[in-house]
mmCIF file of all heavy atoms in Angstrom:
data_model
loop_
_atom_site.group_PDB
_atom_site.id
_atom_site.type_symbol
_atom_site.label_atom_id
_atom_site.label_comp_id
_atom_site.label_asym_id
_atom_site.label_seq_id
_atom_site.Cartn_x
_atom_site.Cartn_y
_atom_site.Cartn_z
ATOM 1 N N LEU A 106 -20.360 9.367 9.978
ATOM 2 C CA LEU A 106 -20.241 8.074 9.285
ATOM 3 C C LEU A 106 -21.139 6.994 9.904
ATOM 4 O O LEU A 106 -21.096 5.846 9.482
ATOM 5 C CB LEU A 106 -18.780 7.599 9.302
ATOM 6 C CG LEU A 106 -17.784 8.473 8.519
ATOM 7 C CD1 LEU A 106 -16.359 7.968 8.712
ATOM 8 C CD2 LEU A 106 -18.129 8.519 7.037
ATOM 9 N N HIS A 107 -21.916 7.397 10.930
ATOM 10 C CA HIS A 107 -22.856 6.475 11.601
ATOM 11 C C HIS A 107 -22.170 5.223 12.140
ATOM 12 O O HIS A 107 -22.694 4.122 12.013
ATOM 13 C CB HIS A 107 -23.995 6.075 10.644
ATOM 14 C CG HIS A 107 -24.786 7.247 10.174
ATOM 15 N ND1 HIS A 107 -25.564 8.004 11.015
ATOM 16 C CD2 HIS A 107 -24.876 7.832 8.954
ATOM 17 C CE1 HIS A 107 -26.123 8.983 10.335
ATOM 18 N NE2 HIS A 107 -25.712 8.914 9.081
ATOM 19 N N TRP A 108 -20.992 5.409 12.734
ATOM 20 C CA TRP A 108 -20.352 4.262 13.381
ATOM 21 C C TRP A 108 -21.183 3.870 14.591
ATOM 22 O O TRP A 108 -21.810 4.728 15.231
ATOM 23 C CB TRP A 108 -18.939 4.639 13.852
ATOM 24 C CG TRP A 108 -17.947 4.786 12.742
ATOM 25 C CD1 TRP A 108 -18.129 4.491 11.427
ATOM 26 C CD2 TRP A 108 -16.623 5.303 12.871
ATOM 27 N NE1 TRP A 108 -16.987 4.773 10.724
ATOM 28 C CE2 TRP A 108 -16.047 5.275 11.576
ATOM 29 C CE3 TRP A 108 -15.855 5.775 13.936
ATOM 30 C CZ2 TRP A 108 -14.746 5.703 11.336
ATOM 31 C CZ3 TRP A 108 -14.567 6.192 13.698
ATOM 32 C CH2 TRP A 108 -14.015 6.157 12.409
ATOM 33 N N ASP A 109 -21.138 2.585 14.968
ATOM 34 C CA ASP A 109 -21.865 2.198 16.184
ATOM 35 C C ASP A 109 -21.123 2.736 17.416
ATOM 36 O O ASP A 109 -19.968 3.139 17.330
ATOM 37 C CB ASP A 109 -22.072 0.678 16.248
ATOM 38 C CG ASP A 109 -20.772 -0.086 16.307
ATOM 39 O OD1 ASP A 109 -19.849 0.347 17.038
ATOM 40 O OD2 ASP A 109 -20.654 -1.121 15.620
ATOM 41 N N ASP A 110 -21.811 2.742 18.554
ATOM 42 C CA ASP A 110 -21.266 3.371 19.757
ATOM 43 C C ASP A 110 -19.912 2.795 20.151
ATOM 44 O O ASP A 110 -18.988 3.531 20.520
ATOM 45 C CB ASP A 110 -22.234 3.202 20.939
ATOM 46 C CG ASP A 110 -23.471 4.067 20.756
ATOM 47 O OD1 ASP A 110 -23.502 4.843 19.766
ATOM 48 O OD2 ASP A 110 -24.400 3.962 21.578
ATOM 49 N N ALA A 111 -19.810 1.462 20.085
ATOM 50 C CA ALA A 111 -18.577 0.819 20.537
ATOM 51 C C ALA A 111 -17.398 1.281 19.689
ATOM 52 O O ALA A 111 -16.348 1.672 20.212
ATOM 53 C CB ALA A 111 -18.731 -0.696 20.449
ATOM 54 N N LYS A 112 -17.587 1.272 18.379
ATOM 55 C CA LYS A 112 -16.504 1.671 17.486
ATOM 56 C C LYS A 112 -16.164 3.145 17.690
ATOM 57 O O LYS A 112 -14.998 3.515 17.780
ATOM 58 C CB LYS A 112 -16.920 1.427 16.034
ATOM 59 C CG LYS A 112 -15.833 1.810 15.039
ATOM 60 C CD LYS A 112 -16.211 1.418 13.626
ATOM 61 C CE LYS A 112 -15.143 1.873 12.653
ATOM 62 N NZ LYS A 112 -15.515 1.625 11.270
ATOM 63 N N ARG A 113 -17.222 3.962 17.801
ATOM 64 C CA ARG A 113 -16.992 5.395 17.982
ATOM 65 C C ARG A 113 -16.185 5.642 19.256
ATOM 66 O O ARG A 113 -15.178 6.348 19.245
ATOM 67 C CB ARG A 113 -18.326 6.136 18.059
ATOM 68 C CG ARG A 113 -18.134 7.647 18.129
ATOM 69 C CD ARG A 113 -19.447 8.389 18.310
ATOM 70 N NE ARG A 113 -19.921 8.259 19.678
ATOM 71 C CZ ARG A 113 -21.124 7.809 20.018
ATOM 72 N NH1 ARG A 113 -21.980 7.451 19.081
ATOM 73 N NH2 ARG A 113 -21.467 7.717 21.279
ATOM 74 N N GLU A 114 -16.633 5.003 20.348
ATOM 75 C CA GLU A 114 -15.962 5.247 21.621
ATOM 76 C C GLU A 114 -14.504 4.795 21.587
ATOM 77 O O GLU A 114 -13.623 5.461 22.114
ATOM 78 C CB GLU A 114 -16.726 4.563 22.761
ATOM 79 C CG GLU A 114 -17.919 5.409 23.189
ATOM 80 C CD GLU A 114 -18.952 4.623 23.982
ATOM 81 O OE1 GLU A 114 -18.587 3.584 24.563
ATOM 82 O OE2 GLU A 114 -20.119 5.059 24.000
ATOM 83 N N THR A 115 -14.249 3.656 20.959
ATOM 84 C CA THR A 115 -12.875 3.159 20.877
ATOM 85 C C THR A 115 -11.991 4.121 20.084
ATOM 86 O O THR A 115 -10.900 4.476 20.510
ATOM 87 C CB THR A 115 -12.850 1.777 20.162
ATOM 88 O OG1 THR A 115 -13.852 0.964 20.745
ATOM 89 C CG2 THR A 115 -11.500 1.117 20.282
ATOM 90 N N ARG A 116 -12.507 4.543 18.924
ATOM 91 C CA ARG A 116 -11.702 5.420 18.068
ATOM 92 C C ARG A 116 -11.474 6.782 18.732
ATOM 93 O O ARG A 116 -10.385 7.342 18.661
ATOM 94 C CB ARG A 116 -12.377 5.617 16.701
ATOM 95 C CG ARG A 116 -12.520 4.374 15.856
ATOM 96 C CD ARG A 116 -11.222 3.772 15.400
ATOM 97 N NE ARG A 116 -10.394 4.669 14.609
ATOM 98 C CZ ARG A 116 -9.179 4.351 14.168
ATOM 99 N NH1 ARG A 116 -8.662 3.164 14.442
ATOM 100 N NH2 ARG A 116 -8.477 5.200 13.473
ATOM 101 N N VAL A 117 -12.522 7.311 19.375
ATOM 102 C CA VAL A 117 -12.401 8.620 20.031
ATOM 103 C C VAL A 117 -11.398 8.515 21.182
ATOM 104 O O VAL A 117 -10.506 9.354 21.324
ATOM 105 C CB VAL A 117 -13.775 9.135 20.522
ATOM 106 C CG1 VAL A 117 -13.605 10.332 21.457
ATOM 107 C CG2 VAL A 117 -14.661 9.507 19.333
ATOM 108 N N ALA A 118 -11.515 7.438 21.981
ATOM 109 C CA ALA A 118 -10.616 7.284 23.133
ATOM 110 C C ALA A 118 -9.160 7.209 22.653
ATOM 111 O O ALA A 118 -8.265 7.804 23.258
ATOM 112 C CB ALA A 118 -10.986 6.029 23.914
ATOM 113 N N ARG A 119 -8.938 6.497 21.555
ATOM 114 C CA ARG A 119 -7.581 6.365 21.036
ATOM 115 C C ARG A 119 -7.046 7.729 20.576
ATOM 116 O O ARG A 119 -5.925 8.124 20.912
ATOM 117 C CB ARG A 119 -7.586 5.390 19.859
ATOM 118 C CG ARG A 119 -6.314 5.398 19.021
ATOM 119 C CD ARG A 119 -6.475 4.488 17.806
ATOM 120 N NE ARG A 119 -5.406 4.624 16.845
ATOM 121 C CZ ARG A 119 -5.380 5.505 15.863
ATOM 122 N NH1 ARG A 119 -6.347 6.385 15.726
ATOM 123 N NH2 ARG A 119 -4.371 5.541 15.007
ATOM 124 N N ALA A 120 -7.856 8.485 19.822
ATOM 125 C CA ALA A 120 -7.411 9.792 19.313
ATOM 126 C C ALA A 120 -7.120 10.752 20.467
ATOM 127 O O ALA A 120 -6.130 11.487 20.447
ATOM 128 C CB ALA A 120 -8.470 10.376 18.381
ATOM 129 N N VAL A 121 -7.978 10.705 21.493
ATOM 130 C CA VAL A 121 -7.812 11.596 22.645
ATOM 131 C C VAL A 121 -6.537 11.241 23.402
ATOM 132 O O VAL A 121 -5.747 12.105 23.792
ATOM 133 C CB VAL A 121 -9.053 11.511 23.568
ATOM 134 C CG1 VAL A 121 -8.785 12.152 24.925
ATOM 135 C CG2 VAL A 121 -10.258 12.159 22.878
#
Side-chain angles (χ1 to χ4, degrees):
Chain A
L106 295 175
H107 300 294
W108 287 353
D109 62 42
D110 289 355
K112 180 174 177 185
R113 185 184 75 234
E114 279 162 23
T115 312
R116 296 295 301 176
V117 168
R119 167 185 170 273
V121 166

